[in-house]
Amino acid sequence: MLTTPERIAFVLLALASLLLTAHGVSRIVRAIARGQGRPNWRLFFHRVIPVSLDILLQRPIFRTRPLVSLLHAGVFFAFVFYGLVNILDLLEGFTGFSTLHRSGVAALYNLIADLLSVAALAGMLGLLIRRFGLRPFRFNQRVLLLPSVRFGISRDSAIVGGFILLHVGSRWIGQAVRVAESGQPDWSQPTASLVATLFHGWSEAALTTASHVTWWLALGLILAFLPYFPYSKHIHLFMAPLNLILREARPLGQLEPPPSSDGTIGAERLEQLRWYQLLDAYACIMCNRCQDVCPAHGTGRALSPAALEINKRYYLNRNLATFAGGATSPPLLEIATSKEAVWSCTTCAACVRICPVGNRPMLDLIDIRRALVNRGDPLDPNLQSALESLARYGNSFGKPARQRARWAKELPFSIKDARKEPVEYLWFVGDFASFDPRMQENTKTVAQLFQAAGLDFGILYEDERNAGNDVRRVGEEGLFEMLVEQNLAALKKAQFRAIVTTDPHTYNALKNEYPAYGFQVPVYHYTEVLAELLERGILRVQQPLRAAVTYHDPCYLGRYNRITAAPRRIIRALGLELREMPRHGENTYCCGAGGGQIWMDSGGQERPSEQRIREAVALGDDLRYFVVSCPKDMAMYSDAVKTTGYEGRLTVIDVARLVAVAIGIDGVEREAAPVESEAR
């Protein structure tokens, strides 16, 4: 098909294009290699097939935004198949080989290519209309953005979108021209045959010229685009699969140890991040899904996980030669995110869970916190006070350790001291459940339920310390290790089969963080224990409850540890009508307490807990209860119903209190908010 001069020109252009592309890719590889650590390539061979299948089926993309995901899938499937299409088109140009008017496998190939061409064009047009017409890609004014980002995102989207439309469109029209040249429609290319009718009446010379022009537009555009490819958002097509395949298989609730270089604990500059945190920047598809679910950004704060990754990408692209060559980057707080944003993160991990390419922007924020704390940067006064109390007393309330179990003295029975006698369950109570007067009634109720069930349980009394989950996520690695050491010393004194806790933050630390320090025992949340006791008939419902309720999944229980069924089994066993909020289960919304936020001043800004209460109220005027299973949730939402003006309209209640009412524990029904019930 091509003339000899055309073949020579294509080969020369291809060599130049590939050399320029390889140069750009090599710079990116050297830039990523500057990060701390090295990938474990053994993971590649174990995970390449299952992860590739997930990607090919677009499962990560379809978690949210079904219509947009469908448009993206059309473009993606076409892109994958067009690898074969471009090879065969290249073969046609150099040898004259053609699949036109063929049967069998060739006909099937033609049909798939024809339909996917239309899918790609429709999908790309839809995505461009969304990007430039609906303009969903917005950041609030407090988010740090590099000057090149706002224009750069639009420019890159236009270039990539334009390339796909011209490349696929030229090839599609080119096939229509070839059908017209043949003088008869090709049943295996239905849409191209339809377009071919537009060329009826064209001369043979005109059709030949059109055939050459469309071939050069389709394949020549690839050569023109390739050198730009490493610097475009399209690089995610290769970096995202690598990111997913090489991602270390660790529990979501287990933080990586802090990176350490040049005497810095954590990360102050790009090169102090881990290699995969630099890879994240190139894997990012700029979809903004992470920002959509971020509670900090949702309440108008300066944090955008998307902006963090995009800023990293744009800084690297503009300084790739010098950074890849070993130059020191500016501080992350100047080029990636702001200090205000760093301290706005609730560590809810919604951004990590939702990301379709496996990015972990939350880890960047925690590593920056680690560096700030390590160098003694001034902290929020309330946070500083809490950390000092934790260091001195082992709790954030500044109370002497001997007061930790004072609530237990008000019970009509004594709780075993697990340090002195063996127990089946060691109850690790936690700070808020032990010290906060608002939570102590719930704590006593849990103890009464355990006692009523004949559960063999005990506590550590004054030897228990804060488990350190939020301390670590604040960035105070040294204090976290001190708390772990103190708790492990206390746990060694006790004899028990398993741990049960009422605090999801404590649950996460004991289950996911402590094994790195040699501690491995079964850990249960109290809702798991209560659900089993109800289902086995050990706790019997005497008064089925009749009320409409909604349940809030704590981030560290539902998203981090996927314990979503047990609390709902309890609610249904009690006879209550459960109405789900739009965001529930692993897709829950944060209360705003995590990552040390419960100790920090909100600065007068709305908290996520207030948004959540409004979400619950929208479920109906007859909704009576907002059910929680976390002491911090109890504190956050009890305040939120007051600040939103719904006190008296909606009651925040711990699930244990509802169980106590239903099984008829003396005194609890009077103290709990009234619940309609019917005696059996």
Side-chain angles (χ1 to χ4, degrees), residues 55-70:
I55 294 169
L56 286 172
L57 295 173
Q58 293 285 274
R59 286 175 181 162
I61 292 289
F62 274 98
R63 287 178 188 161
T64 58
R65 303 178 184 172
L67 178 57
V68 175
S69 298
L70 188 63

Side-chain angles (χ1 to χ4, degrees), residues 78-94:
F79 176 87
V80 172
F81 193 74
Y82 255 60
L84 175 61
V85 168
N86 292 329
I87 291 172
L88 292 183
D89 285 353
L90 190 63
L91 186 65
E92 180 181 12
F94 276 78

Side-chain angles (χ1 to χ4, degrees), residues 92 100-101 114 117 168-186 189-200 202 207 210-211 214:
E92 180 181 12
L100 191 67
H101 297 305
D114 185 79
S117 295
V168 176
S170 296
R171 198 271 171 185
W172 183 55
I173 293 172
Q175 289 303 107
V177 170
R178 289 165 182 74
V179 171
E181 281 183 300
S182 73
Q184 59 179 324
D186 183 350
Q189 300 186 76
T191 67
S193 295
L194 184 64
V195 175
T197 60
L198 299 176
F199 301 106
H200 285 169
W202 282 37
L207 288 173
S211 182
T214 53

Side-chain angles (χ1 to χ4, degrees), residues 28 146 148-149 152-153 155-156 160 228-237 239-240 270 277-287 306-320 335-336 357 359 364:
I28 290 175
L146 293 179
S148 57
V149 168
I153 290 173
R155 180 201 60 205
D156 198 37
V160 171
Y228 175 72
F229 177 78
Y231 305 94
S232 76
K233 62 179 291 185
H234 237 51
I235 192 69
H236 77 263
L237 290 163
M239 295 303 189
L270 275 173
Q277 290 169 288
L278 298 178
L279 177 61
D280 282 352
Y282 285 100
C284 178
I285 59 177
M286 305 185 191
C287 65
L308 169 65
E309 299 297 351
I310 294 167
N311 281 335
K312 284 159 61 179
R313 163 93 69 87
Y314 273 79
Y315 173 81
L316 286 169
N317 278 350
R318 291 177 68 88
N319 301 274
L320 196 53
I335 61 171
V357 297
N359 282 355
D364 289 31

